[in-house]
Amino acid sequence: MGGGLFITGTDTGVGKTFVACGLAALLRDLGYRVGVMKPAETGCAEKDGELFAEDAVRLKEASGCGVPLEKICPYQLREPLAPSIAAERAGVRIDIDHLLAVYNEISAQHDMTLVEGAGGLMAPLLPSFTYADLARVLKLPLIVVAANKLGVINHLLLTLEHANCKGLRVLGYVLNQIESPLSLAAETNREVLANLSAAPCLAELPFLENMEAKKNLPPDWFKERFEFRFIESALNRR
C-alpha cells in the first residue's frame, strides 16, 4: 500500500482543489503513481442527466488516476451543504467503512494517494463524525490550505489546534492568496504565523484570477513554490 496525504482547509473556497491538483500533477510529473479521492462532494450540478462532481474530475485529470470516478468520489450530492446534511436531504447515508475500503483499494494501486476534504476539518460527514475523524481513521498526515487574507491567523491556528487535539500529524500549511491586490495582512501573515506555530509553511501561492490558467499551470510552477522536502518525507514514510 502506498502513502497518502489529506488535504483540508480552514474554510470552503480557500483553494483545496487547486492545491491538491497541483500536488497531484507535480507528483505525477516526477514519476509517481498518484491516486486521488474526494470522499464526498456537495453542490454538484447536473450534467447530461447526472450529477457532475467537478472537483473530483479535476483531481482525476491532474493525477492521471485510472480509478473510476464513482470510486474517486463515492458520494456526489446536489445541495451545497455540509456532507452530512446534503446526504440526509438526498436520502443517502454516508458509510465510513465503505470510504475506508475504497481508500485502501486506491492506495494499494498507487505510490501516493491524495484525499481532499470538503470545507474544513470540523465539517461533518455524519452528524457526529467529521473530516478530522476521517483523517484519523485513514491515518493520514494533513496539509492545511488557508486563504491568505485578514483573519487567516485565527482560522489557521484553530485548525492546527483541533488537528493536534485529534492526534493528527500536520505536514504543514499552504497560504493561498485568493484576493487582489495583495493586502498588508497577506504580506505579513506568514511571518506572524511562523512565530505562533511550529507547523511549516509549505508554500505561499500568488493570486491567479483566471480559472483556466489555474487548470493549465505546469508542474514546475508548483515545484518552484513548494517546500517539496516535506512532501518527500511523507513519501518516504509510506
Side-chain angles (χ1 to χ4, degrees), residues 104-225:
N104 287 337
E105 181 181 341
I106 296 174
S107 180
Q109 303 172 45
H110 298 89
D111 301 312
M112 174 63 74
T113 299
L114 307 180
V115 180
E116 183 195 338
L121 271 186
M122 296 182 73
L125 275 160
L126 297 174
S128 58
F129 189 97
T130 67
Y131 275 99
D133 296 315
L134 181 63
R136 178 177 48 79
V137 169
L138 296 176
K139 301 178 181 178
L140 295 181
L142 304 179
I143 291 178
V144 182
V145 181
N148 191 11
K149 61 179 184 177
L150 184 65
V152 74
I153 294 170
N154 184 61
H155 295 161
L156 180 57
L157 292 177
L158 285 173
T159 297
L160 296 176
E161 179 67 22
H162 185 66
N164 181 63
C165 290
K166 287 288 187 177
L168 301 173
R169 182 166 73 95
V170 177
L171 205 62
Y173 59 88
V174 174
L175 289 175
N176 182 37
Q177 189 184 342
I178 64 171
E179 300 174 338
S180 182
L182 188 70
S183 67
L184 181 59
E187 289 179 357
T188 58
N189 282 330
R190 183 170 185 171
E191 180 181 355
V192 175
L193 286 163
N195 291 321
L196 292 170
S197 173
C201 181
L202 303 179
E204 188 172 349
L205 303 180
F207 175 75
L208 294 172
E209 185 173 6
N210 189 294
M211 179 57 70
E212 287 305 312
K214 284 185 176 183
K215 292 179 181 178
N216 296 312
L217 287 171
D220 281 350
W221 189 91
F222 289 92
K223 188 175 183 180
E224 291 170 2
R225 290 164 173 80

Side-chain angles (χ1 to χ4, degrees), residues 30-100:
L30 292 172
Y32 293 101
R33 297 171 303 159
V34 185
V36 289
M37 186 176 179
K38 177 88 175 181
E41 183 165 341
T42 63
C44 295
E46 192 169 301
K47 185 176 182 180
D48 298 326
E50 296 183 358
L51 293 178
F52 181 72
E54 182 178 2
D55 291 352
V57 170
R58 288 176 58 191
L59 289 168
K60 181 176 173 64
E61 291 174 348
S63 63
C65 180
V67 175
L69 190 63
E70 59 267 23
K71 289 192 175 180
I72 289 175
C73 186
Y75 297 100
Q76 302 175 29
L77 302 162
R78 185 185 304 276
E79 294 182 298
L81 301 168
S84 64
I85 301 300
E88 180 183 345
R89 288 171 60 86
V92 173
R93 190 183 192 286
I94 294 175
D95 185 336
I96 303 303
D97 288 336
H98 176 60
L99 292 178
L100 180 57

